Amino acid sequence: MTRSEFLSRLRQGLVGLPMSVAAEIVADYETHFEDGAAAGRSEAEVASALGDPARLARELRAEAGAQRWQQEKNPSAAAAAVFAVLGLGAIDILILLPILMGVIGALFGVGIAVIAVFVTGGGIMVGGPFLDVPGGAGASILAGLGLMAGATSAGALLAVVTIGLVNAIVWFARLHYRLLKPALEPQTTVVGDPA
């Protein structure tokens, strides 16, 4: 694979990242080719040492998503981090996706239940005094406030669990990237080494 082919495939894989980030990454890999040429290595040797540019782009996108989540901590950054991790490889998707979809579905269901309990508590608090309920108006107001407070507490706990889940996914991405990074770096042999 030539330098231009490698960089072209790398650019294609980085589509979706901010232009400045993608340009900086491509410039770093152009430097690898320049350093390789200065050391007398061919473009094919340098490209082979760097690995598959599409796989490399997926790993770099995962790292960029993880960094964005660490900086911004918002739903958009969380989604970007999760999808970047899922883009790392088919085996990861086959293992992680069913588990992740189940957990996300459960969190979504709990979120809907929390909202329903909060709205129900508000309805009891507002409408209870006008109905003939045991304990009178005071009891219905307190019951409604209790339901709303419980829903608010459950919502806060749900937010903490969701942030923890996103942090775990980002941790997985970083671990995955660190494990693969040595395979992406050019291998050097020591003079006299039988390798």
Side-chain angles (χ1 to χ4, degrees):
M1 179 180 310
T2 67
R3 172 183 181 161
S4 61
E5 290 170 341
F6 182 93
L7 295 176
S8 174
R9 288 182 58 196
L10 183 63
R11 280 187 195 96
Q12 289 172 353
L14 296 175
V15 169
L17 285 179
M19 300 252 323
S20 61
V21 173
E24 185 177 321
I25 290 170
V26 171
D28 287 344
Y29 284 92
E30 285 177 341
T31 303
H32 283 289
F33 280 97
E34 291 167 5
D35 293 344
R41 296 171 68 194
S42 71
E43 289 182 355
E45 290 173 328
V46 174
S48 175
L50 292 173
D52 178 30
R55 174 77 182 190
L56 183 60
R58 285 193 300 271
E59 291 163 358
L60 292 168
R61 289 173 63 88
E63 182 66 20
Q67 288 174 353
R68 181 175 171 214
W69 164 250
Q70 292 298 326
Q71 294 169 354
E72 296 181 21
K73 300 273 188 192
N74 62 33
S76 171
V82 169
F83 287 117
V85 170
L86 293 177
L88 279 177
I91 293 175
D92 294 339
I93 290 174
L94 292 175
I95 294 170
L96 188 61
L97 190 60
I99 295 168
L100 192 58
M101 288 299 132
V103 171
I104 289 172
L107 290 175
F108 183 75
V110 170
I112 296 297
V114 164
I115 292 169
V117 169
F118 187 86
V119 170
T120 301
I124 291 172
M125 186 180 78
V126 172
F130 301 109
L131 302 173
D132 187 25
V133 293
S140 63
I141 290 172
L142 290 176
L145 283 174
L147 284 173
M148 292 172 70
T152 302
S153 298
L157 183 60
L158 180 65
V160 169
V161 169
T162 302
I163 289 171
L165 176 66
V166 171
N167 283 336
I169 292 170
V170 167
W171 172 83
F172 175 78
R174 287 177 187 252
L175 176 66
H176 196 285
Y177 180 73
R178 280 190 213 117
L179 289 174
L180 291 174
K181 191 172 181 179
L184 299 173
E185 294 175 350
Q187 302 296 317
T188 58
T189 57
V190 178
V191 176
D193 190 12

